[in-house]
Amino acid sequence: MAIRVNKLSYAYRRTPVLHDLTFEVARGECFIVLGPNGSGKTTLIKTLANLLPVSGGDIFFRDRPLKRYSRGDLARRVAYVAQAGIDDSPFSVKEMVIMGRTPYLGVLGVEGRTDLEFARQAIEYTGLSRLSNRRMNSLSGGERQRAHIARAICQQPQLILLDEPTAALDLAHQIRIMDLMATLIKDQGITVVMVSHDINLAAMYADRLLLIVDGRVAACGPPAQVIDEQTLARAYGCHILVDRSPAGPWPRVNLVPKEGSRT
Ligand code: ADP
């Protein structure tokens, strides 16, 4: 198992947000977390990244409690890409991406030829070669997001945790990033855990989905099982029709306007 979460709870001060979550993620799996706004997805992925101390329960990474890993150990194994936000850092894309190598550098902190090659490849994979000398604070939201993903790839992790990685991206880059994650899983056996709002994209790429509502597991399983009209209607509180994607053997959700609003 890559991750085992057992009765996980989390509270911000006195406000409980996650309640008794139990699930597992297999090695080499693409595992996507869905749920309405405020259901606890970001909180969950931050606890998996060891950025928030859990209030109850346990998280195991590769059968060892997450809290037993040192910061350096974890940095060599787990990469976390936060939601796209403002980035005022004065660094260039290249400088930012190579920071992914920090956990591997010796005491002098100097990058070697291999580190530079990992950075170059990660920049190329994410389609940023043309922008590699540009400052992070001069990029669009989508370009910045891709640079953060490039840094995560450059880190050569066993597990990548991503919080809505495609939210700021145009259609071509959404597919490109999802295809890239699928390739990393296939070629390097890494595990991907991702928060997404895009149920249709998730249906195409996830091996399994976790649907959380109000901090509790509402459903967990393959897309064909979780993407069910009644399950989604209960979770999101709106009318949803599910059919089959014309692009392949995946379920597809269709929103339905309120009766009478479009006539
Ligand atoms: P999601 O990612 O599903 O939108 P979040 O994990 O961001 O949900 O938030 C879950 C709940 O926790 C929300 O009610 C949100 O308002 C609350 N929350 C998030 N961050 C904090 C914080 N730093 N302090 C207090 N409450 C928070």
Side-chain angles (χ1 to χ4, degrees):
M1 273 307 139
I3 301 174
R4 191 151 61 80
V5 172
N6 186 31
K7 293 183 179 298
L8 171 68
S9 304
Y10 184 79
Y12 289 104
R13 292 177 181 266
R14 295 228 192 90
T15 314
V17 170
L18 301 177
H19 311 271
D20 248 5
L21 296 182
T22 296
F23 61 90
E24 291 179 342
V25 181
R27 291 188 193 190
E29 191 170 19
C30 180
F31 188 85
I32 302 188
V33 182
L34 301 170
N37 295 140
S39 57
K41 301 180 297 299
T42 293
T43 306
L44 171 62
I45 207 146
K46 283 184 175 168
T47 61
L48 298 181
N50 211 24
L51 297 172
L52 296 174
V54 303
S55 316
D58 300 290
I59 301 173
F60 296 87
F61 173 59
R62 298 205 161 199
D63 300 325
R64 194 167 136 202
L66 194 60
K67 56 190 174 212
R68 292 251 193 91
Y69 285 85
S70 71
R71 197 184 272 250
D73 266 355
L74 216 51
R76 282 185 289 276
R77 289 171 173 80
V78 180
Y80 166 70
V81 181
Q83 271 179 33
I86 311 289
D87 188 335
D88 281 332
S89 67
F91 302 109
S92 69
V93 170
K94 207 159 44 179
E95 287 164 342
M96 216 279 301
V97 171
I98 199 133
M99 284 177 204
R101 301 304 299 164
T102 309
Y104 297 94
L105 304 182
V107 279
L108 295 178
V110 180
E111 302 94 14
R113 208 152 15 123
T114 326
D115 301 307
L116 294 169
E117 178 54 21
F118 279 131
R120 193 196 59 73
Q121 268 178 23
I123 287 171
E124 189 182 309
Y125 280 152
T126 46
L128 289 169
S129 303
R130 209 171 38 83
L131 302 174
S132 68
N133 291 317
R134 281 266 298 276
R135 306 259 144 234
M136 287 296 290
N137 56 18
S138 74
L139 301 181
S140 74
E143 291 161 348
R144 244 182 354 246
Q145 184 66 349
R146 283 188 281 139
H148 284 283
I149 293 169
R151 179 172 68 174
I153 293 168
C154 188
Q155 204 175 325
Q156 283 210 297
Q158 294 165 340
L159 167 67
I160 299 194
L161 303 167
L162 305 114
D163 196 348
E164 296 200 25
T166 57
L169 305 184
D170 64 38
L171 292 176
H173 284 110
Q174 285 179 31
I175 285 292
R176 188 168 179 164
I177 291 300
M178 295 304 287
D179 282 339
L180 175 57
M181 291 302 142
T183 306
L184 290 173
I185 290 172
K186 197 153 124 264
D187 293 352
Q188 296 175 26
I190 68 162
T191 307
V192 172
V193 176
M194 179 187 298
V195 168
S196 177
H197 264 306
D198 192 327
I199 304 179
N200 288 332
L201 207 57
M204 280 193 267
Y205 286 91
D207 294 307
R208 284 186 312 134
L209 299 171
L210 173 70
L211 175 66
I212 57 175
V213 178
D214 294 333
R216 292 186 169 82
V217 175
C220 184
Q225 185 187 316
V226 174
I227 300 177
D228 161 79
E229 287 177 5
Q230 267 143 35
T231 306
L232 294 180
R234 260 198 311 273
Y236 290 91
C238 64
H239 189 185
I240 289 167
L241 291 175
V242 177
D243 60 6
R244 191 157 281 265
S245 165
W250 307 291
R252 176 182 67 171
V253 300
N254 303 272
L255 292 169
V256 182
K258 196 168 138 221
E259 212 172 314
S261 70
R262 300 292 300 138
T263 53

